[in-house]
Amino acid sequence: MRARRIGALAFALMLTLGPQVAAQERDAYEREREEMVRLIEAYGVRDSATRAAMRAVPRHEFVPRESVGRAYGDYPLPIGYGQTISQPYIVAFMTEILEATSGMKILEVGTGSGYQAAVLGEIGCEVFTVEIFEALATSARQRLERLGYGNVTVRHADGHYGWVEEAPFDAVIVTAAAGHIPPALVEQLRPGGRMVIPVGSVYGVQNLILVEKHSEEDVRTRNLLPVRFVPMLQGLR
Ligand code: SAH
């Protein structure tokens, strides 16, 4: 009799405490994420979809274990193979510039950790992302799958050629520095689409450029911001 009552009590306790315990676990990085988003907003990112996505994506899952404590700082971090996960402000700025909204089909060149792709996936975009290092492509694919980003597809390929089977795209985002705008990427952008890409000296400072493809004949570019990205490489690794 007593055992049954204790059992019932434990069950009732579990019901009341269970969700709170789970919420606490989910909250472990929530305050840091909130701080990160506040900073991004202070820097001028107004788009609410971008901010909501960055509030939701667990950035600490995208950095190496030894960097977890610094995952929400506003700087890039190394992810191996000489590559980096981009600074949160730059991720937010590029997402806002793309005018990413739910249902958009987006090509990303430079998967890296998969963080930028996850932010776009969180918004509800259908993301096709290519990465030149097989090891990075594989780990990003596994991570995105584990975190439930079923709308992000990763491919090990050289992004200079885009992803012709999935073209045209509503938007293209390049997260490695290019010496010039790869023509295939402009071709694979639908008329009315936008591309954001860092262009310039690959080992110095580049310009973040917005490409607006009004029609096949009318493609305009605009300088947005000086940035520093890792170089866009040639040849699979
Ligand atoms: N978007 C990433 C950060 C990218 S760093 C993130 O959110 O974590 C740039 C990435 O571009 C690196 O992973 C690098 O290996 C990759 N890269 C470089 N040249 C490339 C190319 N030609 N095609 C595809 N990926 C490339």
Coordinates of all heavy atoms in Angstrom, one line a residue, residues 33 36-37 40 45 47-59 62 72 91-92 95-96 100 115-125 149:
R33 N 23.2 33.0 -25.9 CA 22.6 33.2 -27.2 C 21.9 34.5 -27.3 O 22.0 35.3 -28.2 CB 21.7 32.1 -27.6 CG 22.3 31.2 -28.7 CD 21.3 30.2 -29.3 NE 20.3 29.6 -28.4 CZ 20.6 28.5 -27.7 NH1 21.7 27.9 -27.7 NH2 19.6 28.0 -26.9
M36 N 24.3 37.3 -27.5 CA 24.8 37.4 -28.9 C 23.9 38.1 -29.8 O 24.2 38.9 -30.6 CB 25.1 35.9 -29.4 CG 25.6 35.8 -30.8 SD 25.7 34.1 -31.4 CE 23.9 33.8 -31.8
V37 N 22.6 37.7 -29.7 CA 21.6 38.3 -30.6 C 21.4 39.8 -30.2 O 21.2 40.6 -31.1 CB 20.2 37.6 -30.5 CG1 19.1 38.3 -31.3 CG2 20.4 36.1 -31.0
I40 N 24.2 41.6 -32.0 CA 23.9 41.6 -33.4 C 22.9 42.7 -33.8 O 23.0 43.5 -34.7 CB 23.4 40.2 -33.9 CG1 24.6 39.3 -33.9 CG2 22.7 40.3 -35.2 CD1 24.1 37.8 -34.0
V45 N 21.4 44.7 -37.2 CA 20.6 43.7 -37.9 C 19.2 43.8 -37.4 O 18.9 43.5 -36.2 CB 21.2 42.3 -37.7 CG1 20.3 41.2 -38.3 CG2 22.6 42.2 -38.4
D47 N 16.3 42.5 -39.1 CA 15.4 41.4 -39.6 C 15.1 40.4 -38.5 O 15.9 39.8 -37.9 CB 16.1 40.7 -40.8 CG 15.2 39.6 -41.3 OD1 14.1 39.9 -41.6 OD2 15.7 38.4 -41.4
S48 N 13.8 40.3 -38.2 CA 13.3 39.5 -37.1 C 13.5 38.0 -37.3 O 13.8 37.2 -36.4 CB 11.9 39.8 -36.7 OG 11.0 39.6 -37.8
A49 N 13.4 37.6 -38.6 CA 13.6 36.1 -38.9 C 15.0 35.7 -38.6 O 15.3 34.7 -38.1 CB 13.2 35.9 -40.3
T50 N 15.9 36.6 -39.0 CA 17.4 36.3 -38.8 C 17.7 36.2 -37.3 O 18.3 35.3 -36.8 CB 18.2 37.5 -39.4 OG1 18.0 37.5 -40.8 CG2 19.7 37.2 -39.2
R51 N 17.1 37.2 -36.6 CA 17.4 37.2 -35.1 C 16.8 36.0 -34.4 O 17.4 35.4 -33.6 CB 17.0 38.5 -34.5 CG 17.9 39.7 -34.9 CD 17.6 40.9 -34.1 NE 16.5 41.7 -34.8 CZ 15.5 42.2 -34.1 NH1 15.4 42.1 -32.8 NH2 14.5 42.8 -34.8
A52 N 15.6 35.7 -34.8 CA 14.9 34.5 -34.2 C 15.7 33.2 -34.5 O 15.8 32.4 -33.6 CB 13.5 34.4 -34.7
A53 N 16.2 33.1 -35.7 CA 17.0 31.9 -36.1 C 18.2 31.8 -35.3 O 18.6 30.7 -34.8 CB 17.3 31.9 -37.6
M54 N 18.9 32.9 -35.1 CA 20.2 32.9 -34.4 C 19.9 32.7 -32.9 O 20.8 32.2 -32.2 CB 21.0 34.2 -34.7 CG 21.3 34.2 -36.2 SD 22.7 34.9 -36.7 CE 24.0 34.7 -35.6
R55 N 18.7 33.0 -32.4 CA 18.4 32.8 -31.0 C 18.1 31.3 -30.9 O 18.2 30.7 -29.8 CB 17.1 33.6 -30.7 CG 16.9 33.8 -29.2 CD 15.8 34.8 -29.0 NE 16.2 36.2 -29.2 CZ 15.6 37.0 -30.0 NH1 14.5 36.6 -30.7 NH2 16.0 38.3 -30.1
A56 N 17.7 30.6 -31.9 CA 17.3 29.2 -31.9 C 18.5 28.2 -32.1 O 18.5 27.1 -31.5 CB 16.2 28.9 -32.8
V57 N 19.4 28.5 -33.1 CA 20.4 27.5 -33.5 C 21.5 27.4 -32.4 O 22.0 28.4 -32.0 CB 21.0 27.9 -34.8 CG1 22.1 26.9 -35.2 CG2 20.0 28.0 -35.9
P58 N 21.7 26.2 -31.9 CA 22.7 25.9 -30.8 C 24.1 26.0 -31.4 O 24.7 25.0 -31.7 CB 22.4 24.5 -30.3 CG 21.8 23.8 -31.5 CD 21.1 24.9 -32.3
R59 N 24.7 27.3 -31.5 CA 26.0 27.5 -32.1 C 27.1 26.6 -31.4 O 28.0 26.2 -32.0 CB 26.4 29.0 -32.0 CG 27.7 29.3 -32.7 CD 27.8 30.8 -32.8 NE 29.2 31.2 -33.0 CZ 29.7 31.5 -34.2 NH1 29.0 31.4 -35.3 NH2 31.0 31.9 -34.4
F62 N 28.3 23.5 -33.0 CA 29.0 23.7 -34.3 C 30.5 24.0 -34.1 O 31.2 24.2 -35.1 CB 28.3 24.8 -35.1 CG 26.9 24.4 -35.6 CD1 25.9 24.5 -34.8 CD2 26.7 23.9 -36.9 CE1 24.6 24.1 -35.2 CE2 25.5 23.5 -37.3 CZ 24.4 23.6 -36.5
Y72 N 29.7 31.6 -28.3 CA 28.8 32.7 -28.5 C 29.5 34.0 -28.5 O 28.8 35.1 -28.6 CB 27.7 32.6 -27.5 CG 26.8 31.4 -27.7 CD1 27.0 30.2 -27.0 CD2 25.8 31.5 -28.7 CE1 26.2 29.1 -27.3 CE2 25.0 30.3 -29.0 CZ 25.3 29.2 -28.3 OH 24.5 28.0 -28.6
V91 N 27.4 36.3 -40.0 CA 26.4 35.3 -40.4 C 25.0 36.0 -40.4 O 24.3 35.9 -41.4 CB 26.3 34.1 -39.4 CG1 25.1 33.2 -39.6 CG2 27.6 33.3 -39.4
A92 N 24.8 36.8 -39.4 CA 23.5 37.5 -39.3 C 23.3 38.6 -40.5 O 22.3 38.6 -41.1 CB 23.4 38.3 -38.0
T95 N 22.7 36.8 -43.8 CA 21.4 36.2 -43.8 C 20.4 37.3 -44.1 O 19.4 37.2 -44.9 CB 21.1 35.5 -42.5 OG1 22.1 34.6 -42.2 CG2 19.8 34.8 -42.5
E96 N 20.5 38.5 -43.4 CA 19.6 39.6 -43.6 C 19.7 40.1 -45.0 O 18.6 40.4 -45.7 CB 19.9 40.7 -42.6 CG 19.0 41.9 -42.7 CD 19.2 42.9 -41.7 OE1 20.4 43.5 -41.6 OE2 18.3 43.2 -40.9
A100 N 16.4 36.2 -46.6 CA 16.0 34.8 -46.5 C 14.7 34.7 -45.9 O 14.4 35.3 -44.8 CB 17.1 34.1 -45.7
Y115 N 27.0 25.8 -39.6 CA 26.2 26.8 -38.8 C 25.4 27.8 -39.7 O 24.2 27.9 -39.4 CB 27.2 27.6 -37.9 CG 26.5 28.6 -37.1 CD1 25.6 28.2 -36.1 CD2 26.6 30.0 -37.3 CE1 24.9 29.2 -35.3 CE2 25.9 30.9 -36.6 CZ 25.1 30.5 -35.6 OH 24.4 31.5 -34.8
Q116 N 26.0 28.4 -40.7 CA 25.3 29.3 -41.6 C 24.1 28.6 -42.2 O 23.0 29.1 -42.3 CB 26.2 29.9 -42.6 CG 25.5 30.7 -43.7 CD 25.0 32.1 -43.2 OE1 25.8 33.0 -43.0 NE2 23.7 32.2 -43.1
A117 N 24.3 27.3 -42.7 CA 23.3 26.5 -43.3 C 22.2 26.3 -42.3 O 21.0 26.3 -42.7 CB 23.9 25.2 -43.8
A118 N 22.5 26.0 -41.1 CA 21.5 25.8 -40.0 C 20.6 27.0 -39.8 O 19.4 26.9 -39.6 CB 22.2 25.3 -38.7
V119 N 21.3 28.2 -39.8 CA 20.5 29.4 -39.6 C 19.5 29.6 -40.7 O 18.4 29.9 -40.5 CB 21.5 30.6 -39.5 CG1 20.8 32.0 -39.5 CG2 22.3 30.6 -38.2
L120 N 19.9 29.3 -41.9 CA 19.0 29.4 -43.1 C 17.9 28.3 -43.0 O 16.8 28.6 -43.3 CB 19.8 29.3 -44.4 CG 20.7 30.5 -44.7 CD1 21.7 30.1 -45.8 CD2 20.0 31.8 -44.9
G121 N 18.3 27.1 -42.6 CA 17.4 26.0 -42.4 C 16.4 26.3 -41.3 O 15.2 26.0 -41.4
E122 N 16.8 27.0 -40.3 CA 15.9 27.4 -39.1 C 14.8 28.4 -39.6 O 13.7 28.3 -39.2 CB 16.8 28.0 -38.0 CG 16.1 28.3 -36.8 CD 15.7 27.1 -36.0 OE1 16.5 26.2 -35.9 OE2 14.6 27.1 -35.4
I123 N 15.2 29.2 -40.6 CA 14.3 30.2 -41.2 C 13.2 29.4 -42.0 O 12.1 30.0 -42.3 CB 15.0 31.3 -42.0 CG1 15.8 32.2 -41.0 CG2 14.1 32.1 -42.8 CD1 16.7 33.2 -41.6
G124 N 13.6 28.2 -42.5 CA 12.6 27.4 -43.3 C 13.0 27.4 -44.7 O 12.3 26.9 -45.6
C125 N 14.3 27.8 -45.0 CA 14.8 27.7 -46.4 C 15.2 26.3 -46.7 O 15.5 25.5 -45.8 CB 16.0 28.6 -46.6 SG 15.8 30.3 -46.1
Y149 N 18.0 19.2 -38.9 CA 17.8 20.1 -40.1 C 17.7 19.3 -41.4 O 18.6 19.2 -42.2 CB 19.0 21.1 -40.1 CG 19.0 22.1 -39.0 CD1 19.8 22.0 -37.9 CD2 18.1 23.2 -39.0 CE1 19.7 22.8 -36.8 CE2 18.0 24.1 -38.0 CZ 18.8 23.9 -36.9 OH 18.7 24.8 -35.8

